[in-house]
Amino acid sequence: MDALAAPVLTPLRRIAHPLGDIQHALKASDAGFAGFGEAYFTRVLPGAVKGWKRHRQMVLNLVVPCGAVRFYLRHDDGRQLAFLLGDEPHSVAGCQYARLSVPPGWWVAFEGVGPALNQVLNLASMAHDPAEADNLPLQSFALEPGA
Amino acid sequence: MDALAAPVLTPLRRIAHPLGDIQHALKASDAGFAGFGEAYFTRVLPGAVKGWKRHRQMVLNLVVPCGAVRFYLRHDDGRQLAFLLGDEPHSVAGCQYARLSVPPGWWVAFEGVGPALNQVLNLASMAHDPAEADNLPLQSFALEPGA
């Protein structure tokens, strides 16, 4: 697997089913897969913003199966990106059901945009290890809308 | 990793956070982990039941991050089990926030028990492959409450 040079957004399939839909997330054969270390959920309340955190080793694979979440990414070299992920077409307008793959080295913040439950799944390349992550207060950077 | 001899329920941590809680799901170092092939979500509407399906190769690792879902497991040797997984303590009474690991060879059905969104994450040992799964109509077996 080649290392990701930059964050990548990959649209995901949602398969309609009369008893409850199926939503793809990640296959080991997908681009952006960098090994499986841990899967965990993070919720973010409507209007709340969590951040900033930068992983030095972990590759993130982020999916928002319900609600909508805006991710802000910032690199120390000046690059800035933003993505609105969510439960398309059932959550807020403009959100996309997609996977956001983030290589190490990017500051990440994320905001609860949906009006109720906003849930993030991170399919991470390694298990949680506070020693490989840096944290800065939310006020450290502006929440730029991105390109 | 030793193969699972039978389904295993593993309680999971939920870490309270003022901006939105964190919910554990699976680490590669956990018992029951049998490799990563694919992660996908399945929803099941309130009162709906999906099943029966039996995987001949896939190991399932099932987590219910929101709502509540009852899983019915049945082996051809006569063993029957049932588990109520869910967003404890925010969903229905008696549900448990836990991971259900299911080895190959078990018939599985599952029912939406929560009143709204019931979401299942399967962290599967292999990618979806219809050739390794058998299906039977829901009417084939009774939905027994289990031990």
Side-chain angles (χ1 to χ4, degrees):
Chain A
M1 200 269 335
D2 294 333
L4 283 173
V8 173
L9 193 71
T10 307
L12 292 172
R13 279 189 70 195
R14 182 190 182 109
I15 300 156
H17 189 291
L19 300 180
D21 291 354
I22 291 150
Q23 294 165 282
H24 281 187
L26 179 67
K27 294 184 185 189
S29 56
D30 284 340
F33 181 70
F36 178 81
E38 181 173 4
Y40 64 90
F41 292 96
T42 304
R43 296 176 173 209
V44 56
L45 296 175
V49 186
K50 289 183 170 181
W52 296 85
K53 180 177 283 195
R54 179 177 64 183
H55 291 277
R56 278 182 263 117
Q57 298 174 36
M58 182 190 284
V59 177
L60 317 178
N61 272 292
L62 303 166
V63 179
V64 180
C66 55
V69 175
R70 183 171 280 116
F71 292 89
Y72 300 92
L73 277 62
R74 184 184 180 99
H75 198 281
D76 282 345
D77 66 12
R79 283 178 288 173
Q80 291 181 196
L81 297 163
F83 301 96
L84 180 57
L85 267 61
D87 181 17
E88 177 195 14
H90 301 288
S91 190
V92 301
C95 76
Q96 185 177 5
Y97 187 59
R99 180 178 65 247
L100 178 59
S101 305
V102 183
W106 288 76
W107 292 103
V108 178
F110 56 103
E111 177 180 14
V113 175
L117 177 60
N118 300 303
Q119 196 139 26
V120 178
L121 171 65
N122 183 12
L123 296 153
S125 65
M126 56 180 292
H128 172 70
D129 176 5
E132 64 85 35
D134 303 309
N135 289 277
L136 281 174
L138 186 59
Q139 298 73 17
S140 303
F141 306 125
L143 297 172
E144 301 285 351
Chain B
M1 198 267 337
D2 294 331
L4 284 174
V8 173
L9 193 71
T10 307
L12 291 172
R13 281 190 69 196
R14 184 189 179 109
I15 301 156
H17 189 291
L19 301 180
D21 292 355
I22 291 150
Q23 295 166 282
H24 281 188
L26 179 66
K27 295 185 186 189
S29 56
D30 285 340
F33 181 71
F36 177 82
E38 181 172 5
Y40 63 90
F41 292 97
T42 305
R43 296 176 173 209
V44 56
L45 296 175
V49 186
K50 289 183 172 181
W52 296 84
K53 180 176 281 194
R54 178 177 64 182
H55 291 276
R56 278 182 263 118
Q57 297 174 38
M58 183 190 283
V59 178
L60 317 178
N61 272 293
L62 302 167
V63 178
V64 180
C66 54
V69 175
R70 184 172 279 114
F71 292 89
Y72 300 91
L73 276 62
R74 183 183 181 100
H75 198 280
D76 282 345
D77 65 10
R79 283 178 289 173
Q80 291 181 196
L81 297 163
F83 301 95
L84 181 56
L85 269 60
D87 179 19
E88 176 195 12
H90 300 288
S91 189
V92 302
C95 76
Q96 185 178 4
Y97 187 60
R99 181 178 63 248
L100 178 59
S101 305
V102 183
W106 288 76
W107 292 103
V108 177
F110 56 103
E111 178 180 14
V113 175
L117 177 61
N118 300 303
Q119 196 140 26
V120 178
L121 171 66
N122 183 13
L123 297 153
S125 65
M126 56 182 291
H128 172 69
D129 175 7
E132 64 86 35
D134 302 309
N135 289 275
L136 281 174
L138 186 59
Q139 297 74 17
S140 304
F141 308 125
L143 296 172
E144 301 284 350

